[in-house]
């Protein structure tokens, strides 16, 4: 043990209250083990056997106290300094060591490092590097607990630096509005990387913010294990009876660098000395010795036991071979396997608009899946700004049709939490443009979870999108390319009521995250005969709307209708018209088959050109069908500008007119 020379006197005024010796020793052992693991890791780091280490030395009492009061099936969402959460849940050490060495017996198949993993087996949901989304995920887990009525509490951690992130504020607000049983644990350890607290926030205590959120909050001496344990025990017991969020600020200190390589030069040495006197383990050890609960022999016995356990498990991890994989295996794990089940359509049809088809599809999915929750701004009594969820509250209740505060990021994160805890979630973006405010959890949490730790993200994000409605730069974007670029997401973009209803049903069945684009200009303008009952359509299948021999037109969304209009007005053109319907997965087979037949291709997208999906489809065609081409592949897209408001500017921005000209040009090539 690295025992500072200063310790033997006891800094804390420990109060064991009515705790028996067994608990006192459990807490001691709970802190001793991660301390010994860390000390071993520091040695291995110096020997180059571990790549990076984020030390929680000096902060163990918080993780130990919290994990000790929660039941094993109550979720904990730790950060990078909470090793004790993992050891207190009795994860076999060799699995942790394998994780840190990027080996197969870890939790991420070598795909993510350090504490960036979760495990359903141990009810732990690890962090993503971006820190803040953890709080929103905890909201979702707690919401699921509340909906189940199981009286469970969950705990989530952050450092004080992380509390400056918008995600954290959003999640605290949502938890308070929805009264979610979450312990929000802020470990205030003085520094965020090198930034001291006075450059991080300008209030006296982070717990003071509880008042602003309308939330109970407490300050806890984070290095006093008995204070942590006893306060938390009472709180958790009362939260189980009376579910509510609680904000906790633990005063503690980061005794080592942010990570080992970055050192502590910027930390005044007297501060380190001062906090060295408050070491949670050494003080507690002295106290237990004084109390006669512990003896020097017992300490040695525990240390020998842990040393043996650590060494033995390290041997197992070191003996494990380097991870092997194949490209196919890596690609295969990006998505959770989903076996499409066809639900055949009934013969009764009614002529309805796109918007009605989506509403019907949603409603029938709500009837089919008891565990499906819809969240969005104004989606409850108001029915959403497009009235798609009108009447849903009456049928499904406010628990499952939830108005949210204006906080896209926390709600997407909460959707992830619902999925982790057994629910399906639909998040309605009021307009697809606003997804920027929920971008982080979509790109980093939903999309990457299955690849990282085999956890599904059973979430559909509905995206009312598109121009042609005179709504200007912030209510008109069709931003699918932001998502088609991100492995792990599926992207669906129907152009007709029939497709929209069936594809939405499948998107909801699919346990993977789906971005579901709904074109606003088509909502009320496109009608079709649609089966009245529930049915599904497969993702990844384009539809061939027209067959011809001279050219292939590939498009989706509003582009489909522009192409249909153009072909209507130019009956002499003999074209294959492909409506992609889903962009990820992309039906390359339908594309190549048609191109091989016609030899000429034009790809039409509503989005601006550069970096859009038309460019990728064009590249795929050139790589796979070059010898069949009789002309260069043409792309047609909107101008490289934001979307203007005035009707004439907007129509000059959109590519409908340009499409006709380029198509005619291509035909005469
Ligand atoms: C969004 C984001 N910005 C910056 C970082 C880089 N970063 C990682 S941890 C960290 C400091 C976090 O400080 P704090 O929340 O106080 O936790 P501590 O490390 O002190 O335990 C920073 C700046 C990050 N991971 N994510």
């Amino acid at each position: 043990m690295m025992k500072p020379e200063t310790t033997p006197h006891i800094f804390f005024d420990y109060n064991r209250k009515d705790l028996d010796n067994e608990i006192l020793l459990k807490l001691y052992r709970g802190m001793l083990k991660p301390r010994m693991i860390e000390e071993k890791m520091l040695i291995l780091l110096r020997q180059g056997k571990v790549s990076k280490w984020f030390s929680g030395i000096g902060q163990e009492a918080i993780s130990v106290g919290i994990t000790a009061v929660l039941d094993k099936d109550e979720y904990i969402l730790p950060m990078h300094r909470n090793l004790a959460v993992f050891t207190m849940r009795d994860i076999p050490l060799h699995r942790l060591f394998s994780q840190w060495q990027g080996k197969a017996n870890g939790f991420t198949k070598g795909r993510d490092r350090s504490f960036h993993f979760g495990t359903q087996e141990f009810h732990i949901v690890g962090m993503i590097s971006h820190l803040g989304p953890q709080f929103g995920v905890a909201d979702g887990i707690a919401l699921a607990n509340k909906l189940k009525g199981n009286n469970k509490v969950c705990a989530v951690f952050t450092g004080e630096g992380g509390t400056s992130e918008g995600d954290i504020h959003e999640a605290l607000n949502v938890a308070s509005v929805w009264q979610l049983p979450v312990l929000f644990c802020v470990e205030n350890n003085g520094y965020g990387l090198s930034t001291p607290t006075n450059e991080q926030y300008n209030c006296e205590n982070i717990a003071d913010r509880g008042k602003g959120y309308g939330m109970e909050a407490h300050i806890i001496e984070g290095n006093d294990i008995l204070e942590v344990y006893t306060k938390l025990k009472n709180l958790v017991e009362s939260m189980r009876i009376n579910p509510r969020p609680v904000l906790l600020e633990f005063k503690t200190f980061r005794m080592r660098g942010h990570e080992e390589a970055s050192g502590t030069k910027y930390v005044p040495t007297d501060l380190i000395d001062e906090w060295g006197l408050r070491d949670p383990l050494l003080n507690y050890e002295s106290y237990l010795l004084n109390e006669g609960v512990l003896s020097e022999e017992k300490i040695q016995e525990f240390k020998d036991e842990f040393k043996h356990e650590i060494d033995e498990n390290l041997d197992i991890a070191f003996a494990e071979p380097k991870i092997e994989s194949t490209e196919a295996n890596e690609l295969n794990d990006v998505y959770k396997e989903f076996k499409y089940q066809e639900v055949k359509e009934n013969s009764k049809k009614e002529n309805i608009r796109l918007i009605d088809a989506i509403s019907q599809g949603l409603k029938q999915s709500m009837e089919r899946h008891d565990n499906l929750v819809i969240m969005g701004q104004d989606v409850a009594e108001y029915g959403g700004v497009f009235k798609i969820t009108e009447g849903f509250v009456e049928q499904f209740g406010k628990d499952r049709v939830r108005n949210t505060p204006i906080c896209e990021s926390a709600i997407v994160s909460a959707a992830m939490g619902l999925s982790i805890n057994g629910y399906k979630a639909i998040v309605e973006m009021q307009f697809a443009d606003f997804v920027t405010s929920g971008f982080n959890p979509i790109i980093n949490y939903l999309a990457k979870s299955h690849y990282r730790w085999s956890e599904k993200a059973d979430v559909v994000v509905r995206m009312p999108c598109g121009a042609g409605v005179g709504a200007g730069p912030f209510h008109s974007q069709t931003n699918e390319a932001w998502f088609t670029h991100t492995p792990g997401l599926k992207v669906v973009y129907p152009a007709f009521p029939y497709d929209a209803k069936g594809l939405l049903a499948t998107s909801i069945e699919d346990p993977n995250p789906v971005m579901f684009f709904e074109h606003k200009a088509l909502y009320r303008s496109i009608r079709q005969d649609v089966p009245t009952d529930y049915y599904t359509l497969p993702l990844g299948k384009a539809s061939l709307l027209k067959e011809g021999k001279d050219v292939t037109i590939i498009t989706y969304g509003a582009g489909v209708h522009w192409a249909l209009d153009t072909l209507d007005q130019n009956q002499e053109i003999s074209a294959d018209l492909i409506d992609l319907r889903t962009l990820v997965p992309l039906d390359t087979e339908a594309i190549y088959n048609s191109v091989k037949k016609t030899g000429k291709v034009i790809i039409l997208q509503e989005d601006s050109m550069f970096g859009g999906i038309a460019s990728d489809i064009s590249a795929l065609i050139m790589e796979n069908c070059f010898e069949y081409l009789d002309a260069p592949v043409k792309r047609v897209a909107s101008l490289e500008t934001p979307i203007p408001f005035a009707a004439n500017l907007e129509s000059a921005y959109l590519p409908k007119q340009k499409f006709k000209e380029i198509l005619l040009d291509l035909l005469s090539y």
Side-chain angles (χ1 to χ4, degrees), residues 230-242:
T230 49
K231 283 205 170 151
L232 265 288
K233 197 162 176 8
N234 287 337
L235 259 178
V236 166
E237 276 162 13
S238 110
M239 285 167 72
R240 288 189 187 122
I241 297 162
N242 171 20

PDB file of all heavy atoms in Angstrom, residues 230-242:
ATOM      1  N   THR A 230     -24.619   5.402   5.162  1.00  0.00           N
ATOM      2  CA  THR A 230     -25.845   5.551   5.966  1.00  0.00           C
ATOM      3  C   THR A 230     -26.816   6.542   5.313  1.00  0.00           C
ATOM      4  O   THR A 230     -28.024   6.309   5.269  1.00  0.00           O
ATOM      5  CB  THR A 230     -25.529   6.001   7.410  1.00  0.00           C
ATOM      6  OG1 THR A 230     -24.633   7.108   7.358  1.00  0.00           O
ATOM      7  CG2 THR A 230     -24.893   4.898   8.210  1.00  0.00           C
ATOM      8  N   LYS A 231     -26.281   7.645   4.790  1.00  0.00           N
ATOM      9  CA  LYS A 231     -27.192   8.612   4.146  1.00  0.00           C
ATOM     10  C   LYS A 231     -27.856   7.976   2.927  1.00  0.00           C
ATOM     11  O   LYS A 231     -29.045   8.153   2.683  1.00  0.00           O
ATOM     12  CB  LYS A 231     -26.419   9.865   3.732  1.00  0.00           C
ATOM     13  CG  LYS A 231     -26.121  10.773   4.908  1.00  0.00           C
ATOM     14  CD  LYS A 231     -25.919  12.210   4.482  1.00  0.00           C
ATOM     15  CE  LYS A 231     -25.882  13.087   5.729  1.00  0.00           C
ATOM     16  NZ  LYS A 231     -25.082  14.280   5.580  1.00  0.00           N
ATOM     17  N   LEU A 232     -27.038   7.270   2.133  1.00  0.00           N
ATOM     18  CA  LEU A 232     -27.575   6.675   0.914  1.00  0.00           C
ATOM     19  C   LEU A 232     -28.599   5.576   1.224  1.00  0.00           C
ATOM     20  O   LEU A 232     -29.605   5.445   0.529  1.00  0.00           O
ATOM     21  CB  LEU A 232     -26.436   6.099   0.067  1.00  0.00           C
ATOM     22  CG  LEU A 232     -25.869   6.993  -1.042  1.00  0.00           C
ATOM     23  CD1 LEU A 232     -26.855   7.110  -2.184  1.00  0.00           C
ATOM     24  CD2 LEU A 232     -25.483   8.364  -0.552  1.00  0.00           C
ATOM     25  N   LYS A 233     -28.321   4.845   2.283  1.00  0.00           N
ATOM     26  CA  LYS A 233     -29.232   3.752   2.636  1.00  0.00           C
ATOM     27  C   LYS A 233     -30.625   4.315   2.958  1.00  0.00           C
ATOM     28  O   LYS A 233     -31.637   3.843   2.432  1.00  0.00           O
ATOM     29  CB  LYS A 233     -28.670   2.988   3.837  1.00  0.00           C
ATOM     30  CG  LYS A 233     -29.303   1.640   4.028  1.00  0.00           C
ATOM     31  CD  LYS A 233     -28.447   0.771   4.918  1.00  0.00           C
ATOM     32  CE  LYS A 233     -29.073  -0.563   5.244  1.00  0.00           C
ATOM     33  NZ  LYS A 233     -30.278  -0.964   4.576  1.00  0.00           N
ATOM     34  N   ASN A 234     -30.638   5.357   3.769  1.00  0.00           N
ATOM     35  CA  ASN A 234     -31.926   5.972   4.110  1.00  0.00           C
ATOM     36  C   ASN A 234     -32.614   6.534   2.871  1.00  0.00           C
ATOM     37  O   ASN A 234     -33.816   6.371   2.680  1.00  0.00           O
ATOM     38  CB  ASN A 234     -31.722   7.119   5.123  1.00  0.00           C
ATOM     39  CG  ASN A 234     -31.385   6.556   6.483  1.00  0.00           C
ATOM     40  OD1 ASN A 234     -31.700   5.399   6.778  1.00  0.00           O
ATOM     41  ND2 ASN A 234     -30.730   7.354   7.312  1.00  0.00           N
ATOM     42  N   LEU A 235     -31.827   7.218   2.056  1.00  0.00           N
ATOM     43  CA  LEU A 235     -32.399   7.851   0.872  1.00  0.00           C
ATOM     44  C   LEU A 235     -33.008   6.819  -0.070  1.00  0.00           C
ATOM     45  O   LEU A 235     -34.131   6.985  -0.555  1.00  0.00           O
ATOM     46  CB  LEU A 235     -31.293   8.576   0.103  1.00  0.00           C
ATOM     47  CG  LEU A 235     -31.200  10.077   0.282  1.00  0.00           C
ATOM     48  CD1 LEU A 235     -30.028  10.610  -0.514  1.00  0.00           C
ATOM     49  CD2 LEU A 235     -32.500  10.748  -0.154  1.00  0.00           C
ATOM     50  N   VAL A 236     -32.235   5.760  -0.328  1.00  0.00           N
ATOM     51  CA  VAL A 236     -32.696   4.756  -1.291  1.00  0.00           C
ATOM     52  C   VAL A 236     -33.963   4.080  -0.773  1.00  0.00           C
ATOM     53  O   VAL A 236     -34.917   3.868  -1.527  1.00  0.00           O
ATOM     54  CB  VAL A 236     -31.571   3.737  -1.584  1.00  0.00           C
ATOM     55  CG1 VAL A 236     -32.111   2.509  -2.284  1.00  0.00           C
ATOM     56  CG2 VAL A 236     -30.492   4.392  -2.435  1.00  0.00           C
ATOM     57  N   GLU A 237     -33.982   3.809   0.524  1.00  0.00           N
ATOM     58  CA  GLU A 237     -35.185   3.184   1.075  1.00  0.00           C
ATOM     59  C   GLU A 237     -36.398   4.095   0.886  1.00  0.00           C
ATOM     60  O   GLU A 237     -37.480   3.651   0.518  1.00  0.00           O
ATOM     61  CB  GLU A 237     -34.985   2.835   2.555  1.00  0.00           C
ATOM     62  CG  GLU A 237     -34.282   1.487   2.691  1.00  0.00           C
ATOM     63  CD  GLU A 237     -33.651   1.257   4.056  1.00  0.00           C
ATOM     64  OE1 GLU A 237     -33.938   2.026   5.010  1.00  0.00           O
ATOM     65  OE2 GLU A 237     -32.843   0.300   4.164  1.00  0.00           O
ATOM     66  N   SER A 238     -36.182   5.376   1.079  1.00  0.00           N
ATOM     67  CA  SER A 238     -37.329   6.275   0.943  1.00  0.00           C
ATOM     68  C   SER A 238     -37.682   6.500  -0.532  1.00  0.00           C
ATOM     69  O   SER A 238     -38.858   6.651  -0.876  1.00  0.00           O
ATOM     70  CB  SER A 238     -37.074   7.579   1.704  1.00  0.00           C
ATOM     71  OG  SER A 238     -36.884   8.641   0.848  1.00  0.00           O
ATOM     72  N   MET A 239     -36.684   6.465  -1.417  1.00  0.00           N
ATOM     73  CA  MET A 239     -36.997   6.626  -2.856  1.00  0.00           C
ATOM     74  C   MET A 239     -37.758   5.419  -3.406  1.00  0.00           C
ATOM     75  O   MET A 239     -38.524   5.539  -4.352  1.00  0.00           O
ATOM     76  CB  MET A 239     -35.701   6.804  -3.661  1.00  0.00           C
ATOM     77  CG  MET A 239     -35.083   8.186  -3.511  1.00  0.00           C
ATOM     78  SD  MET A 239     -33.389   8.219  -4.148  1.00  0.00           S
ATOM     79  CE  MET A 239     -33.664   8.124  -5.912  1.00  0.00           C
ATOM     80  N   ARG A 240     -37.513   4.262  -2.809  1.00  0.00           N
ATOM     81  CA  ARG A 240     -38.242   3.074  -3.293  1.00  0.00           C
ATOM     82  C   ARG A 240     -39.732   3.196  -2.953  1.00  0.00           C
ATOM     83  O   ARG A 240     -40.581   2.761  -3.718  1.00  0.00           O
ATOM     84  CB  ARG A 240     -37.658   1.797  -2.676  1.00  0.00           C
ATOM     85  CG  ARG A 240     -36.288   1.449  -3.243  1.00  0.00           C
ATOM     86  CD  ARG A 240     -35.835   0.063  -2.783  1.00  0.00           C
ATOM     87  NE  ARG A 240     -34.476  -0.196  -3.190  1.00  0.00           N
ATOM     88  CZ  ARG A 240     -33.463  -0.487  -2.368  1.00  0.00           C
ATOM     89  NH1 ARG A 240     -33.670  -0.549  -1.056  1.00  0.00           N
ATOM     90  NH2 ARG A 240     -32.264  -0.712  -2.838  1.00  0.00           N
ATOM     91  N   ILE A 241     -40.010   3.821  -1.809  1.00  0.00           N
ATOM     92  CA  ILE A 241     -41.415   3.998  -1.415  1.00  0.00           C
ATOM     93  C   ILE A 241     -42.016   5.214  -2.112  1.00  0.00           C
ATOM     94  O   ILE A 241     -43.147   5.203  -2.558  1.00  0.00           O
ATOM     95  CB  ILE A 241     -41.497   4.183   0.123  1.00  0.00           C
ATOM     96  CG1 ILE A 241     -40.994   2.903   0.804  1.00  0.00           C
ATOM     97  CG2 ILE A 241     -42.921   4.495   0.571  1.00  0.00           C
ATOM     98  CD1 ILE A 241     -40.614   3.113   2.263  1.00  0.00           C
ATOM     99  N   ASN A 242     -41.205   6.233  -2.226  1.00  0.00           N
ATOM    100  CA  ASN A 242     -41.684   7.499  -2.785  1.00  0.00           C
ATOM    101  C   ASN A 242     -40.749   7.884  -3.944  1.00  0.00           C
ATOM    102  O   ASN A 242     -39.806   8.648  -3.766  1.00  0.00           O
ATOM    103  CB  ASN A 242     -41.657   8.547  -1.650  1.00  0.00           C
ATOM    104  CG  ASN A 242     -41.918   9.944  -2.160  1.00  0.00           C
ATOM    105  OD1 ASN A 242     -42.470  10.125  -3.237  1.00  0.00           O
ATOM    106  ND2 ASN A 242     -41.482  10.933  -1.389  1.00  0.00           N
TER     107      ASN A 242
END
